[in-house]
Amino acid sequence: MPLTVKGRRSRSARLVITLLIGTVPIALGFAILYLQAQRSLEDSTARTAQEAVRQFDLMLDNTEQAARALLPLAGQACDRDRQLALREQVTRRPFVRSTNLIFDSVNYCSSLFGDRFVAELKAEDYVAGQLLLMPGNPVTPDTALLVYRQSEGRRGALATVDGYHLTNALRLISPYSDLLLQVGPNWLSSQGKVLDSTPPSYPVAPSHLSSSRYPYSVAAGMPQGEVWRYMKARYPALFSLLIFFGALSAVLGHWLQKRTSWPGHELHRALEAGEFIPYFQPVVRGDTLQWAGIEVLMRWQHPKQGLVRPDMFIPFAEHCGLIVPMTRSLMRQTSTVLAPHAAQLVDGFHVGVNITASHCLDLALVDDCREFLAAFPPGKVSLVLELTERELIQPTEITHQLFEQLHGLGVLIAIDDFGTGHSSLGYLRQFKVDFLKIDQSFVAMIGIDALSRHILDSIIELSAKLDLGIVAEGVETVLQSEYLAAQGVDYLQGYLFGRPMPGDEFLVALSKH
Ligand code: C2E
Ligand code: CA
Ligand code: CA
């Protein structure tokens, strides 16, 4: 069945496509947001590193100024005046914690201890002879200390920055990034620890910047998972929007797919492509077995499935509201085939066309019938509309008008599959029925089932009493044919006289009769 098989086969595929349509935009949106978040974090750590260098440069400028002021005093005795000069620099310069004088690498005079504490520190111990990051000194062994040294020949001056200022800067410059200060092999963490191990490498948004003025660098970065945390904090509205649009596109995609795989779509395409074609089955006179007419039966010449039987697609066509244009096309094709050969037809040649209840909802059928009859010389053909008894028509004002106008055109009405439904005498009169078509199931039982034969006989009797013409369908054997003819059945139709055949084949067969 071309319609349902196709629908069933593609259902899982449709579901997969719907899922893809929904998830791909969400995944893409997430990826874009992720990259965007990563970029923002990189910008943020780069700015943090720049700010840190600016701050540390500022602190070291203080120590540089203090050391420059003190350098001329190096080598002089560590007396009260020198010690005052050292302390003055500590007091005047923010960030400077202590100052010292050096001569021949010996730290001999200090703002803290005067001449009581003497230590030897060579210029080579300092990074670029200038900076030294220490874990602490004898006064505050646990507090980091950054020592700045200026030297000139044998003389030197030191100014130190308290680790407190350094760690404060590391902590406060950015609440989001981790920051560390590196001086040569030593580095200071934002927890205030000085270590000489390999500094940590930041997995997210790492940024490294060296000062252009002093021999140190800073590294900023963020811990694992920071991008997601950032996204969760920053983009909750965008997330909701993404999911909303994903769901929307999935629904839209599903609907579009459903529309294109809807049977009506396929039938519509087939109708446009002229794939519905008429087959003709002869109807013969009961007495002479002469060809007295045909029944037009629809076939679907499907490009892939081949010839499709009508019961496979007619119910869909009715359901989709396409049966009316399909029948119209069938009638036009029929007149195109038959009209040029009208001379070969006996006068009043019956052309049976099957219609459904949906044809009776408006008066369009009248125009289709008029157009069909106009293709033939007057009186050449009798158009017989076959209405199945299984689908009774509700009498309304429209159906009343419709059947009036059809009769006006000389169109005949036959009740198809008679004996299988529930039409009453009133029904037969109301729609001015002209023929009863005995269902093939009764014909098939001739000589086999006594009850069926009784029903058959009653139908024949009834039709005679009501003055209705009678057609027997599905005549396959000579026995059936002879029995029906003996009962006075007007017309016979069945494989015994001819199978439904395409137009060209029918014309060849017609010319032989
Ligand atoms: P139906 O109107 O009762 O048509 C008679 C069916 O019996 C046809 O089947 C025909 O091929 C078949 N038939 C004819 N002689 C014999 C026979 O000796 N033995 C047997 N076993 N069958 C015979 P088909 O062409 O397959 O059509 C089936 C049904 O589809 C039709 O039943 C009719 O209800 C519907 N149909 C066909 N064409 C159209 C159409 O254009 N419009 C509408 N609405 N329905 C159609
Ligand atoms: Ca029929
Ligand atoms: Ca029938």
Side-chain angles (χ1 to χ4, degrees), residues 12 102 111 162 297 350 379 450:
S12 51
I102 294 171
S111 58
D162 196 316
L297 294 158
H350 283 188

Side-chain angles (χ1 to χ4, degrees), residues 22 146 172 191 193 256 303 313 316 350 395 414-415 466 479 507:
L146 183 61
L172 297 182
Q191 284 79 43
K193 287 263 169 299
L256 277 174
F313 62 88
F316 284 106
H350 283 188
I415 298 296
L466 294 174
L479 179 83
L507 288 175

Side-chain angles (χ1 to χ4, degrees), residues 324 327-328 331-332 335 351 353-355 359 362-376 381-386 402-403 405-413:
V324 173
T327 307
R328 183 176 300 139
M331 286 167 80
R332 283 182 183 158
S335 60
V351 178
V353 172
N354 294 284
I355 62 162
H359 278 96
D362 56 42
L363 300 176
L365 183 61
V366 178
D367 293 330
D368 295 340
C369 292
R370 189 180 291 121
E371 185 189 320
F372 178 82
L373 290 170
F376 298 92
V381 297
S382 292
L383 180 58
V384 186
L385 297 182
E386 300 187 6
L402 176 73
F403 284 90
Q405 293 189 19
L406 288 174
H407 266 280
L409 283 177
V411 172
L412 304 175
I413 306 295

